[in-house]
Amino acid sequence: MSSKKPVAIVFDTFGSVVDWRGSLVAEMKELGGKRGVNGDWAAVADAWRHGYHRMLDEVTTGTRDYGLLDDLHRELLDEAMRDVGVTGFREDDLRDINLGWHRVKAWPDAVAGLTRLKTKYIVGSLSNGNVRLLVDMAKGANLPWDVVFGSDMFSRFKPHPDTYLGSARLLNLEPGEVMLASAHNGDLANARKYGLMTGFFLRPTEFGPNQAIDLAAEADWDVIADDIEDMATKLDT
Amino acid sequence: MSSKKPVAIVFDTFGSVVDWRGSLVAEMKELGGKRGVNGDWAAVADAWRHGYHRMLDEVTTGTRDYGLLDDLHRELLDEAMRDVGVTGFREDDLRDINLGWHRVKAWPDAVAGLTRLKTKYIVGSLSNGNVRLLVDMAKGANLPWDVVFGSDMFSRFKPHPDTYLGSARLLNLEPGEVMLASAHNGDLANARKYGLMTGFFLRPTEFGPNQAIDLAAEADWDVIADDIEDMATKLDT
């Protein structure tokens, strides 16, 4: 591990800090029960997230414009429901399910780990979510951010450099004084490309019990930890 | 008082939430004592803030470009020291005094009031300070912001409409769903002009014992309170 320490740590949020899949599946299951709507909710959540990744690729390659994640999520939800064959939700149900992203739960170690890290570092969210989504999520899950960097502050999604470098600029720091912390090797590879420090930790069930990716650090990241509490320990807090 | 409630409350910060004058005077006095530098520290603080207001007017009228408040403060500090006739500080002392803005203390009611308001509303800082300055200040003074809106997010200072309206946009709210809370009638008049709700509270010693302005609400603001705790009570928290 590098002996150099960052001034600020910005966290990838969906999957890394919050359990989007477990939270969305639980909410859809509950609402489906109330409405008498049946479905393979894990399949819907996975299709939804798959759509998101495809949409990101479209924005990155320029075939789609940047838009608020809330709005893109809504469009992708309709598609996911259709693809998995779920019918019977009303329009206001779908709107409510979409807002489930604002209510996702933190992984068990997240609040304690961030609270420790916050004593010594600036801790922020650096997410493709929009500011409002991140603010609502932080309030609901008690995430103690010092600052949230939503993609609508840059009108760009990661992996565009304006996001990684924009967080450093707004903190008045050199890129090398900021660490991206993420459970996603790809995210860290991009952050390193633009000069940020890198911290990896494991979320081996983010994508469910059969997860096949991001089960180990795939490069010599500056910090490699089991979870955010372990990262707090490795960063001396 | 209006019966309508906002979704988010964004606070003017210098003077309204933190006691910049008392904090800066105390720090300069302490450092002056260590260095054997004498001065009328209240006069320096007042000249510094006076320079800031003049600089804001220059930016508003277009004779000066937007710049980071940290950098502008540094330039204005040299001028204030010169005007008051203080000499003897080293370059690194002046740099440290300038960072005093990052360490200003909260007014006694601020943390308790914001903590109460946060249970029911999104609470944010909407300041001409830059993001890093606001983050450092919040860490030092335990201000429990859900979000900070620094002027460098908009490359504009208040009273430019991009600041007031930008905070609403990033919260995905209509201007009328956001309340500006401020101890400054002029700030509130601008916020109202752009459609925000308005909340006034008193800081009768912000500018020292002989303060002559902002000693009462000068319009029918949506909420008028004694301080932030009283505002929390008036907003049912």
Side-chain angles (χ1 to χ4, degrees):
Chain A
M1 195 176 86
S2 163
S3 63
K4 193 188 143 200
K5 297 284 185 292
V7 177
I9 309 174
V10 293
F11 281 80
D12 173 63
T13 304
F14 291 113
S16 297
V17 178
V18 294
D19 175 17
W20 58 270
R21 189 177 188 271
S23 304
L24 295 172
V25 167
E27 286 211 358
M28 289 191 282
K29 189 176 169 189
E30 192 188 334
L31 189 64
K34 276 191 207 164
R35 298 282 186 264
V37 174
N38 295 310
D40 180 343
W41 306 120
V44 174
D46 291 341
W48 204 357
R49 195 64 172 168
H50 182 75
Y52 161 77
H53 284 291
R54 196 200 61 229
M55 179 278 293
L56 272 194
D57 288 342
E58 291 169 8
V59 174
T60 301
T61 55
T63 59
R64 181 195 275 262
D65 288 337
Y66 173 84
L68 277 200
L69 189 57
D70 274 336
D71 298 334
L72 297 169
H73 268 157
R74 182 65 182 79
E75 176 187 335
L76 296 165
L77 172 61
D78 290 346
E79 191 182 287
M81 290 284 185
R82 201 168 50 235
D83 288 354
V84 178
V86 176
T87 55
F89 279 127
R90 307 183 312 224
E91 173 59 26
D92 60 332
D93 289 336
L94 292 166
R95 208 175 296 138
D96 184 48
I97 291 169
N98 195 47
L99 284 177
W101 288 96
H102 293 229
R103 297 183 295 255
V104 291
K105 305 280 188 294
W107 292 108
D109 54 285
V111 173
L114 292 174
T115 302
R116 286 169 59 189
L117 287 165
K118 184 174 170 155
T119 60
K120 207 160 169 177
Y121 306 95
I122 295 169
V123 293
S125 169
L126 180 65
S127 170
N128 281 341
N130 40 296
V131 168
R132 174 63 182 278
L133 191 170
L134 298 175
V135 167
D136 285 348
M137 184 199 302
K139 284 178 92 74
N142 293 311
L143 304 175
W145 302 129
D146 289 313
V147 60
V148 291
F149 296 111
S151 60
D152 44 345
M153 287 166 59
F154 312 112
S155 296
R156 299 286 189 186
F157 289 121
K158 288 189 288 182
H160 195 287
D162 284 1
T163 60
Y164 302 103
L165 297 176
S167 70
R169 177 177 52 81
L170 288 172
L171 291 172
N172 220 354
L173 293 172
E174 295 299 320
E177 297 174 299
V178 178
M179 175 180 284
L180 178 76
S182 178
H184 305 137
N185 284 285
D187 198 10
L188 294 169
N190 286 306
R192 176 171 280 184
K193 187 158 75 180
Y194 303 120
L196 277 71
M197 294 183 68
T198 50
F200 177 81
F201 52 94
L202 284 165
R203 293 298 181 206
T205 60
E206 173 189 352
F207 299 99
N210 302 315
Q211 180 164 327
I213 59 165
D214 289 322
L215 296 173
E218 291 164 14
D220 60 336
W221 309 124
D222 297 302
V223 178
I224 296 173
D226 296 331
D227 59 21
I228 301 179
E229 283 238 62
D230 186 40
M231 175 165 283
T233 302
K234 292 198 158 106
L235 285 168
D236 302 329
T237 61
Chain B
M1 194 175 88
S2 163
S3 62
K4 192 189 144 199
K5 296 285 186 293
V7 176
I9 308 174
V10 293
F11 281 79
D12 173 64
T13 303
F14 290 113
S16 298
V17 178
V18 295
D19 175 16
W20 58 269
R21 189 178 188 271
S23 304
L24 296 172
V25 167
E27 286 210 358
M28 287 190 285
K29 189 177 167 186
E30 193 188 336
L31 189 63
K34 275 191 209 163
R35 298 283 185 264
V37 174
N38 295 308
D40 180 344
W41 306 121
V44 174
D46 291 341
W48 204 355
R49 194 64 173 169
H50 182 76
Y52 160 77
H53 284 291
R54 196 198 61 230
M55 178 278 294
L56 271 194
D57 288 342
E58 292 169 6
V59 174
T60 300
T61 56
T63 58
R64 182 195 276 262
D65 289 337
Y66 173 84
L68 276 200
L69 188 58
D70 275 336
D71 299 333
L72 297 169
H73 268 157
R74 183 63 181 82
E75 175 187 334
L76 296 165
L77 172 60
D78 290 346
E79 191 181 286
M81 291 282 186
R82 198 168 51 233
D83 288 355
V84 178
V86 175
T87 54
F89 280 127
R90 309 182 310 224
E91 172 60 27
D92 60 333
D93 290 336
L94 293 166
R95 208 175 296 138
D96 184 47
I97 291 170
N98 194 46
L99 284 176
W101 289 95
H102 294 229
R103 297 182 295 255
V104 290
K105 304 281 189 291
W107 292 107
D109 54 284
V111 173
L114 293 174
T115 301
R116 286 169 59 188
L117 287 166
K118 184 173 171 158
T119 59
K120 207 160 167 175
Y121 305 95
I122 295 169
V123 294
S125 169
L126 179 65
S127 170
N128 282 340
N130 40 295
V131 169
R132 175 62 183 280
L133 192 169
L134 299 175
V135 166
D136 285 348
M137 184 200 301
K139 286 178 91 74
N142 293 311
L143 304 175
W145 302 128
D146 289 312
V147 59
V148 292
F149 296 111
S151 60
D152 45 345
M153 286 166 59
F154 312 112
S155 296
R156 298 287 189 185
F157 289 122
K158 292 188 286 180
H160 197 287
D162 285 1
T163 58
Y164 302 103
L165 297 175
S167 70
R169 177 178 52 80
L170 289 171
L171 291 172
N172 219 355
L173 293 172
E174 295 299 320
E177 297 174 299
V178 178
M179 175 181 283
L180 177 76
S182 176
H184 305 137
N185 285 283
D187 199 9
L188 294 170
N190 287 305
R192 176 171 279 184
K193 185 158 79 181
Y194 303 120
L196 277 72
M197 295 183 69
T198 50
F200 177 80
F201 52 95
L202 286 165
R203 292 298 181 208
T205 60
E206 173 188 353
F207 298 99
N210 303 314
Q211 181 164 328
I213 59 163
D214 289 322
L215 296 173
E218 290 164 15
D220 59 336
W221 308 126
D222 297 303
V223 179
I224 297 174
D226 295 331
D227 59 20
I228 302 180
E229 283 237 61
D230 186 40
M231 174 166 281
T233 302
K234 292 198 158 103
L235 286 168
D236 302 329
T237 58

